[in-house]
């Protein structure tokens, strides 16, 4: 059989798998309908960030480590490439007090979990935390949420988490859909929008139902034990995850686990290959290596905006394998927002291959430019196909387009996500502070729109500038306020200018402390 005939057979198989997966779990009647992301606008492209588990395990996670990693994330250029979510995984962060409420473990997190979040937000990063849907977390070091869903989601909102990973350990006898649905409802009731990351390792077929509850769900077992990167296991996970392509899209993502790119034992070639696979699958890009010590090559891989552009494409299609004979894998099925197509060619051996337009579902007569996303070179117009040379365990990561232009979709970076104002009170004051947002993509954005419902009466926000850099000018009016602490979470929305699709909503926090009652 030729590669072309095999490809044409593959599409219906994926469809059958998809339908079979969708009917395996009975859904509770009170389950929210529609996507969770339709409500909060979060994660319309896959979240990017860093999580400690793959490299560190439980020890030595503590405040100092998280802060050092956050600083390295900024210094390495990862923040400028869109990585934002950072925080502890199962790192003995909290315990449950006699009143049933969670309290921070101050021995490990001296600033408290709220204080750590404030420091992360001040750096223009987003705050990620971890818990479990069962009675205890996996190592049993922390309490799970079972029976405490409401107060725990309130605690996470109080700590100002932006992302919550919810594990599935110690959940014997629990109904998985009911358990996660209860957490989803509790999280919505707590009033702080968070990226909700379900972590049942594929148990309960979350791809069939979890989009109504959260934004992403693990599809497989752990990619590695802490500190033990496993190349062949990562490749197997990619193959398992790609079969679920039909279930992913904007705001609801298959998660093949945090990345092992840059972990000890992997070569530069393997790192490049793994990163390409995760981008091709529109996977959440949660780095799992030690950012403080990574070499330039690893940083270069993790910050390759041309690869990230494939992952962050606003259409949100997940690529999948169209050909796999053991010697050669061809990945396609990922149309991009500008009409181009992403294609990934991967081989365990050094090889030279011609990929024809027809096996990619295009016409043989089409004339296309081919961009190499690692070499950063573009061919002239090619008809019929493209010939690529691939080294052992390496990839050719390509973008095909009728135009000799390969735009990068919006990649948003903020200088801060937290504004803190203080007023001595008595006399009324007007205080100003700004949040500057830079789009590291290549297309200018229309002005951000502020959700008026997210603004309290004491706060005005005006969007200034345009194109790539826009500033949210915040004006606080203290007239008539009572002594006390005030908080607002501002929501801003935008659309991606080429496809016109909504972009992920952007939220930032504004704190105001008024030290004594203020005259009108
Ligand atoms: C599970 C998860 C991992 C990690 C550990 C923590 O195994 O899948 O990603 O969070 O728990 O114990």
């Amino acid at each position: 059989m030729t590669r072309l005939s095999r490809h044409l057979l593959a599409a219906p198989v994926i469809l059958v798998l998809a339908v079979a997966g969708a009917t395996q779990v009975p859904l509770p009647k009170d389950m929210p309908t529609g996507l969770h992301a339709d409500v909060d606008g979060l994660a319309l492209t896959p979240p990017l960030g860093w999580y400690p588990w793959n490299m560190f395990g439980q020890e030595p996670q503590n405040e100092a480590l998280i802060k050092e990693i956050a600083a390295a994330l900024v210094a390495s250029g990862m923040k400028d490439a869109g990585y934002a979510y950072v925080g502890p995984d199962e790192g003995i962060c909290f315990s449950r007090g006699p009143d049933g409420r969670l309290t921070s473990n101050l021995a490990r997190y001296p600033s408290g979990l709220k204080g750590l979040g404030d420091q992360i937000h001040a750096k223009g990063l987003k705050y990620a935390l971890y818990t479990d849907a069962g009675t205890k977390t996996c190592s049993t070091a922390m309490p799970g949420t079972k029976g405490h869903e409401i107060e725990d989601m309130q605690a996470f909102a109080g700590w100002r988490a932006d992302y919550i990973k919810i594990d599935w350990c110690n959940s014997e006898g629990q109904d998985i859909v009911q358990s996660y649905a209860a957490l989803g409802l509790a999280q919505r009731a707590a009033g702080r929008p968070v990226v909700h990351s379900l972590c049942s390792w594929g148990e309960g077929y979350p791809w069939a139902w979890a989009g109504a509850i959260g934004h992403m769900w693990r599809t497989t077992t752990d990619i590695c034990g802490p500190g033990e990167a496993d190349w062949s296991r990562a490749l197997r996970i990619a193959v398992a995850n790609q079969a679920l392509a039909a279930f992913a899209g904007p705001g609801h993502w298959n998660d093949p686990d945090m990345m092992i790119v840059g972990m000890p034992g992997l070569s530069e070639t393997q790192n490049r290959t793994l990163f390409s696979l995760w981008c091709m699958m529109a996977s959440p890009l949660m780095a799992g290596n030690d950012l403080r010590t990574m070499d330039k090559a690893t940083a270069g891989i993790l910050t390759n905006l041309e690869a990230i552009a494939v992952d962050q494409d606003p259409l949100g299609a997940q690529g999948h394998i169209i050909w796999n004979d053991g010697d050669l894998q061809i990945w396609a099925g990922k149309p991009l927002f500008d009409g181009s197509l992403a294609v990934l060619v991967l081989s365990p051996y050094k090889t030279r291959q011609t990929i024809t337009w027809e096996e990619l579902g295009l016409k043989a007569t089409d004339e296309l430019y081919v961009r190499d996303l690692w070499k950063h070179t573009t061919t002239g117009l090619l008809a019929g196909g493209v010939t690529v040379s691939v080294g052992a365990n390496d990839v050719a990561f390509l973008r095909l387009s009728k135009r000799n232009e390969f735009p990068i979709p919006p990649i948003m970076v903020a200088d801060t996500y937290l504004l803190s104002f203080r007023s001595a009170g008595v006399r009324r004051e007007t205080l100003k502070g700004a949040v500057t947002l830079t789009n590291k993509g290549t297309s200018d954005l229309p002005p951000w729109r502020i959700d008026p419902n997210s603004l309290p009466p004491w706060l005005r926000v005006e969007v200034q500038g345009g194109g790539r850099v826009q500033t949210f000018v915040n004006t606080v009016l203290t007239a008539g306020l009572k002594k006390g602490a005030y908080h607002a979470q501002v929501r801003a929305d935008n659309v991606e200018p080429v496809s016109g699709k909504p972009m992920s909503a952007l939220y930032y926090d504004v704190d105001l402390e008024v030290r004594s009652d203020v005259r009108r």
Side-chain angles (χ1 to χ4, degrees):
M1 194 159 29
T2 63
R3 285 216 305 252
L4 179 57
S5 55
R6 273 283 291 275
H7 161 53
L8 295 175
L9 286 174
V13 173
I14 287 174
L15 203 66
V16 170
L17 275 174
V19 172
T23 55
Q24 275 156 353
V25 183
L27 301 183
K29 287 201 190 65
D30 56 354
M31 181 92 165
T33 51
L35 289 174
H36 184 99
D38 289 343
V39 179
D40 56 29
L42 280 171
L44 297 183
T45 57
L48 288 93
W50 177 90
Y51 238 18
W53 190 259
N54 285 358
M55 188 63 211
F56 297 104
Q58 192 162 285
E59 304 293 346
Q61 284 187 57
N62 58 28
E63 179 171 329
L65 174 75
I66 302 301
K67 277 159 52 178
E68 283 170 28
I69 293 282
L73 194 143
V74 176
S76 63
M78 286 177 69
K79 178 186 163 186
D80 279 344
Y83 293 81
Y85 295 97
V86 59
D89 193 284
E90 181 170 21
I92 325 192
C93 304
F94 49 77
S95 57
R96 192 176 300 291
D99 61 352
R101 306 248 159 212
L102 297 180
T103 50
S104 303
N105 175 354
L106 294 176
R108 282 193 188 228
Y109 298 90
S111 305
L113 291 175
K114 160 89 168 38
L116 176 59
D118 285 351
Q119 294 172 58
I120 287 174
H121 288 140
K123 283 185 153 10
L125 300 173
K126 291 282 187 180
Y127 190 29
L129 286 171
Y130 164 97
T131 188
D132 190 283
T135 52
K136 282 190 178 338
T137 56
C138 295
S139 77
T140 72
M142 292 196 286
T145 51
K146 179 66 191 150
H148 296 274
E149 291 82 359
I150 303 273
E151 60 263 49
D152 285 10
M153 289 303 115
Q154 282 170 351
F156 280 86
W159 292 327
R160 299 197 181 157
D162 304 301
Y163 176 113
I164 310 179
K165 170 177 170 179
I166 306 186
D167 223 330
W168 185 234
C169 285
N170 301 303
S171 58
E172 288 70 24
Q174 288 179 222
D175 178 301
I176 189 167
V177 185
Q178 293 284 5
S179 297
Y180 277 110
L183 283 163
L185 292 172
Q187 180 263 306
R188 288 190 200 195
R192 184 175 177 89
V194 295
V195 173
H196 208 116
S197 161
L198 292 83
C199 180
S200 72
W201 329 291
E203 209 175 303
Y205 313 98
W207 44 88
W209 48 268
I213 293 170
H215 305 86
M216 53 190 270
W217 49 83
R218 284 276 299 282
T219 55
T220 67
T221 179
D222 287 6
I223 196 166
C224 67
E228 296 168 356
D230 183 336
W231 160 254
S232 54
R233 185 150 142 197
L235 290 184
R236 287 199 301 279
I237 280 180
V239 169
N241 187 66
Q242 62 84 39
L244 300 167
F247 294 99
H252 57 295
W253 308 105
N254 289 316
D255 175 13
D257 206 355
M258 300 161 288
M259 296 185 286
I260 59 169
V261 171
M263 283 180 62
L266 294 179
S267 68
E268 185 179 333
T269 305
Q270 289 171 324
N271 287 333
R272 188 166 45 241
T273 297
L274 288 172
F275 193 67
S276 307
L277 282 166
W278 260 237
C279 291
M280 192 65 190
M281 293 190 292
S283 305
L285 297 180
M286 298 298 281
N289 58 317
D290 188 344
L291 306 185
R292 299 167 306 176
T293 55
M294 72 178 158
D295 57 22
K296 275 217 165 72
T298 303
I301 289 167
L302 288 171
T303 58
N304 177 1
L305 271 190
E306 293 206 52
I308 292 172
V310 174
D311 182 79
Q312 291 295 300
D313 185 81
L315 300 187
Q318 178 179 330
H320 56 85
I321 296 175
I322 60 164
W323 174 262
N324 185 7
D325 64 8
D327 285 354
L328 181 73
Q329 273 180 18
I330 304 174
W331 292 62
K334 191 159 184 21
L336 304 176
F337 75 135
D338 63 327
S340 63
L341 297 176
V343 176
L344 185 67
V345 184
L346 160 61
S347 174
Y349 312 107
K350 187 169 185 289
T351 183
R352 193 173 158 79
Q353 297 280 338
T354 298
I355 315 297
T356 66
W357 295 166
E358 280 175 296
E359 64 188 317
L360 298 174
L362 303 167
K363 290 203 285 289
T365 49
D366 282 343
E367 296 201 320
L368 301 170
Y369 294 97
V370 178
R371 178 85 179 158
D372 186 313
L373 304 182
W374 288 112
K375 295 187 182 132
H376 308 298
T377 53
T378 309
T379 64
L381 270 177
L382 300 179
V386 60
T387 300
V388 292
S389 298
V390 183
N393 287 324
D394 208 346
V395 286
F397 197 11
L398 309 173
R399 197 163 150 186
L400 280 45
S401 178
K402 290 190 171 151
R403 278 166 298 154
N404 190 5
E405 270 169 39
F406 297 88
I408 310 249
I411 308 277
M412 300 314 307
V413 178
D415 65 337
T416 183
Y417 285 112
L418 175 62
L419 293 176
S420 299
F421 295 98
R422 271 199 192 148
S423 162
V426 186
R427 289 186 324 161
R428 61 188 196 190
E429 284 179 276
T430 303
L431 308 167
K432 281 198 191 282
V435 172
T436 299
L437 271 181
T438 306
N439 170 14
K440 303 287 178 174
T442 54
S443 39
D444 287 351
L445 291 179
W448 284 87
R449 281 171 286 107
I450 304 292
D451 176 359
N453 296 323
S454 69
L455 298 182
W458 50 268
L459 181 64
R460 310 250 186 288
V461 181
E462 194 197 331
V463 180
Q464 293 184 353
R468 303 276 192 83
V469 182
Q470 299 189 33
T471 302
F472 297 0
V473 178
N474 296 258
T475 307
V476 170
L477 305 154
T478 64
L481 291 180
K482 297 270 171 232
K483 174 179 186 229
Y486 296 79
H487 171 247
Q489 195 184 27
V490 180
R491 173 175 177 162
D493 290 274
N494 211 327
V495 292
E496 187 290 304
V498 176
S499 65
K501 289 176 70 74
M503 284 175 33
S504 296
L506 187 133
Y507 295 86
Y508 64 91
D509 290 289
V510 181
D511 279 337
L512 169 63
E513 187 193 338
V514 179
R515 297 218 170 125
S516 57
D517 294 359
V518 188
R519 288 195 292 270
R520 289 223 144 263

Coordinates of all heavy atoms in Angstrom, one line a residue, residues 53 89-90 130 138-139 165 167 169 199 201 218 222 257-258, ligand 1:
W53 N 7.1 19.1 38.8 CA 7.1 17.7 39.2 C 8.1 16.9 38.4 O 8.8 16.1 39.0 CB 5.7 17.1 39.0 CG 5.6 15.7 39.6 CD1 5.7 14.5 38.9 CD2 5.6 15.3 40.9 NE1 5.7 13.5 39.8 CE2 5.7 13.9 41.0 CE3 5.5 16.1 42.1 CZ2 5.6 13.3 42.3 CZ3 5.5 15.4 43.3 CH2 5.6 14.0 43.4
D89 N 3.7 22.2 42.3 CA 2.9 21.0 42.1 C 2.6 20.4 43.4 O 2.3 21.2 44.4 CB 3.7 20.1 41.1 CG 2.9 19.0 40.5 OD1 2.6 18.0 41.2 OD2 2.5 19.0 39.3
E90 N 2.7 19.1 43.6 CA 2.5 18.5 44.9 C 3.7 18.8 45.8 O 4.7 18.1 45.8 CB 2.2 17.0 44.9 CG 2.0 16.5 46.3 CD 1.5 15.0 46.3 OE1 1.7 14.3 45.3 OE2 1.0 14.6 47.3
Y130 N -1.8 23.3 42.9 CA -2.1 21.9 42.7 C -3.0 21.4 43.8 O -2.8 21.8 45.0 CB -0.8 21.1 42.7 CG -0.9 19.6 42.9 CD1 -0.9 18.8 41.8 CD2 -1.0 19.1 44.2 CE1 -1.0 17.4 42.0 CE2 -1.1 17.7 44.4 CZ -1.1 16.9 43.3 OH -1.2 15.5 43.4
C138 N -1.4 12.7 46.0 CA -0.9 11.3 45.7 C 0.1 10.8 46.8 O 0.0 9.7 47.2 CB -0.2 11.4 44.3 SG -1.3 11.7 43.0
S139 N 1.0 11.7 47.3 CA 1.9 11.2 48.3 C 1.3 11.2 49.7 O 2.0 10.9 50.6 CB 3.2 12.1 48.3 OG 2.8 13.3 49.0
K165 N -4.3 22.6 39.0 CA -4.2 21.2 38.5 C -4.8 20.3 39.6 O -4.5 20.4 40.8 CB -2.7 20.9 38.4 CG -2.4 19.4 38.1 CD -0.9 19.2 37.9 CE -0.5 17.8 37.9 NZ 1.0 17.6 37.6
D167 N -5.5 16.6 40.7 CA -5.1 15.2 40.6 C -6.3 14.2 40.9 O -7.3 14.6 41.4 CB -3.9 14.9 41.5 CG -2.8 14.1 40.8 OD1 -3.2 13.3 39.9 OD2 -1.6 14.3 41.1
C169 N -5.7 11.1 42.7 CA -5.2 10.0 43.7 C -6.2 9.9 44.8 O -6.9 10.8 45.1 CB -3.8 10.4 44.2 SG -2.5 10.1 43.0
C199 N -6.5 16.0 36.1 CA -5.3 15.1 36.0 C -5.7 13.7 36.4 O -5.3 13.3 37.5 CB -4.2 15.7 36.9 SG -2.7 14.8 36.9
W201 N -5.1 11.2 34.3 CA -4.2 10.3 33.5 C -5.0 9.5 32.4 O -4.7 8.4 32.1 CB -3.4 9.3 34.4 CG -3.1 9.9 35.7 CD1 -2.3 10.9 36.0 CD2 -3.7 9.5 37.0 NE1 -2.3 11.2 37.3 CE2 -3.1 10.3 38.0 CE3 -4.6 8.5 37.4 CZ2 -3.5 10.2 39.3 CZ3 -5.0 8.4 38.7 CH2 -4.4 9.2 39.7
R218 N -5.4 15.6 31.4 CA -4.3 14.6 31.1 C -5.0 13.4 30.4 O -6.0 13.0 30.7 CB -3.7 14.2 32.4 CG -2.7 15.2 32.9 CD -1.3 15.1 32.3 NE -0.8 13.8 32.6 CZ -0.2 13.4 33.7 NH1 -0.1 14.3 34.7 NH2 0.2 12.2 33.9
D222 N 1.8 9.4 33.8 CA 2.9 10.4 33.9 C 4.0 10.1 32.9 O 4.4 9.0 32.6 CB 3.5 10.3 35.3 CG 2.6 10.9 36.4 OD1 1.5 11.2 36.1 OD2 3.1 11.0 37.5
D257 N 0.9 15.7 29.3 CA 1.7 15.9 30.5 C 2.7 17.0 30.2 O 2.9 17.4 29.1 CB 2.4 14.6 30.9 CG 2.7 14.6 32.4 OD1 2.5 15.6 33.1 OD2 3.2 13.6 32.9
M258 N 3.3 17.4 31.3 CA 4.3 18.4 31.3 C 5.5 17.9 30.4 O 5.7 16.7 30.3 CB 4.8 18.7 32.7 CG 3.7 19.2 33.6 SD 4.1 19.0 35.3 CE 3.9 17.3 35.6
Ligands
LIG1 C1 0.4 12.6 39.7 C2 0.4 13.5 38.5 C3 1.8 14.1 38.4 C4 2.2 14.8 39.7 C5 2.1 13.8 40.9 C6 2.3 14.5 42.2 O1 1.2 11.4 39.5 O2 0.1 12.9 37.3 O3 1.9 15.1 37.4 O4 1.3 15.9 40.0 O5 0.8 13.2 40.9 O6 2.3 13.5 43.2

